[in-house]
Structure formats: structure tokens, C-alpha cells
Amino acid sequence: MIRFIVYTCMAFATAFVGVSWAARGFPMQFSSPVSVAPLQPTVASTFGDQTARDHERKAWEAEHTAQSDKNPKLDKIRLETLQAANAYAMSPCDSTMKSNLIEALTAYTRAWQEKLSCSGPPNMRIGCPDKNFKDAADTFTTPLDVRVKDALHAAFDQRGIVKADFPANVRFDVQMFAGPGLWSDESPLCLPRMRAAAGNRDR
């Protein structure tokens, strides 16, 4: 009996729903599909911008090229200094290599002094205009000059050359290009001979 009552109620409920659906014109409603939009980039706009590419290009040029300001006179001095520095780094105990490096770096330093165009002792250029220093710095920081300085630092790390080996009028300024191997660790004895002497003392 109870089962009959339940089935009867279910039939009435089903009929009521069917009639209501028919009265509304049999509407068919489906949930709207999820819209798909293209992904937007989230990387900052500064990544890979022109400034970064320019910096990378200049660094690559300094390491792999011999670009300069296309000044024939200066380029000759630059290349001679580069060649002399590389040769001395390979044979620091050779007197000819030493003489060539001193001569080449002296010419390179005098070219810088000429570009700076300031009178007075090298260590007393207080009145020299800032523009002169900027012009000299710009002229001697080309990719080729960067290679020259790197080669000079490697050469003077081999010791064997001291400040007194240079003419008095470039002795102060030459330290700017030679690096710490000259102005803090100068030694009249080349590195291979220093090591050989140290080895003999240890025996």
C-alpha cells in the first residue's frame, strides 16, 4: 500500500514537471562554454631590449674584434702595443721583447697625453678641463684599446719591468695602462726567473 502511494506521488510530480516544461515552450538551456583567450606575455618589456643588446654587442666587439675610431696614426700605435704586449707575455725574460714593450707603451702613453692636451706635471693636472679627460677617455676605450689594456695587464703580470725603465715624462701615466703588475708588484726580475730562483733556494 505504501509503495503504491509513493509511486502515485512520483507520477504526479513527473506530470507536473512535464506540463510546466511544455508550458514554457520546451526551453533548452546549456551552460555557456568557457571562452579561451590567447595568453598574454608576462615577461618585462626590458628583457632583451635594445639597451641590453647594445651592451652585449659592445662586450663581444671588445673581446673578438679590433674595432677602433679609425684613426690610422693611433691604430698603428695600438696594434704595435698589442703585439709587443703579447710577445712579452710569452717571453718575459727576453731583453728584445722587454725593449719592444717599453718602447710601444711609451708611444701609446704619449698619444694619450697628446689627446689629453694638458700642461703641467702628470700628477698635478688639477686645472685640466673635464672635457679633455672625457675626450681622452673616449678615444682610448675603443674595443681595440680594451684588448690592448688586457694584453698589457697580462704582460706586466710576468714582471721584469719597473717604472724606472720608462722615460720620466711618461712614468706616471704609464701606470694607468700597465695595471697592478707595474704599480703595485713591479719587479726587475721576470716571473720565470723569480720562480727558478725560489726553486733553487728550496733545495
Side-chain angles (χ1 to χ4, degrees):
M1 184 67 180
I2 295 174
R3 187 178 299 174
F4 175 78
I5 294 172
V6 171
Y7 287 159
T8 302
C9 291
M10 290 176 61
F12 275 108
T14 303
F16 176 78
V17 172
V19 171
S20 298
W21 181 37
R24 293 196 303 269
F26 302 98
M28 302 290 289
Q29 292 183 354
F30 298 94
S31 58
S32 301
V34 178
S35 60
V36 179
L39 295 175
Q40 299 298 320
T42 58
V43 181
S45 60
T46 55
F47 178 78
D49 63 8
Q50 190 60 41
T51 302
R53 285 194 291 270
D54 288 345
H55 176 75
E56 291 176 0
R57 176 179 55 79
K58 289 180 180 179
W60 187 92
E61 288 175 352
E63 185 177 356
H64 298 91
T65 74
Q67 290 192 8
S68 67
D69 55 3
K70 309 303 182 184
N71 183 318
K73 180 181 176 181
L74 277 180
D75 280 350
K76 183 176 183 295
I77 294 173
R78 288 167 173 138
L79 292 172
E80 287 177 350
T81 306
L82 178 62
Q83 182 180 2
N86 287 334
Y88 183 82
M90 291 186 291
S91 302
C93 300
D94 188 301
S95 60
T96 301
M97 300 299 111
K98 174 179 177 177
S99 176
N100 290 343
L101 179 54
I102 292 171
E103 182 180 351
L105 184 51
T106 297
Y108 188 84
T109 305
R110 282 178 175 158
W112 181 85
Q113 291 175 332
E114 183 179 345
K115 182 64 181 179
L116 183 63
S117 187
C118 286
S119 58
N123 58 341
M124 295 291 290
R125 297 195 180 104
I126 300 175
C128 189
D130 291 341
K131 183 180 183 302
N132 291 36
F133 281 105
K134 183 180 183 305
D135 290 345
D138 290 344
T139 300
F140 285 83
T141 53
T142 68
L144 179 54
D145 289 290
V146 172
R147 291 185 62 191
V148 169
K149 287 182 183 179
D150 288 344
L152 287 170
H153 287 195
F156 281 91
D157 281 345
Q158 297 299 312
R159 313 291 181 85
I161 300 178
V162 297
K163 290 186 285 288
D165 290 327
F166 293 91
N169 60 354
V170 301
R171 199 170 292 163
F172 181 85
D173 290 326
V174 80
Q175 298 173 89
M176 174 171 52
F177 304 111
L182 179 67
W183 49 259
S184 64
D185 299 318
E186 65 172 349
S187 169
L189 197 62
C190 61
L191 190 57
R193 287 178 181 166
M194 291 176 64
R195 288 172 175 167
N200 291 333
R201 287 196 301 269
D202 293 340
R203 292 178 181 175

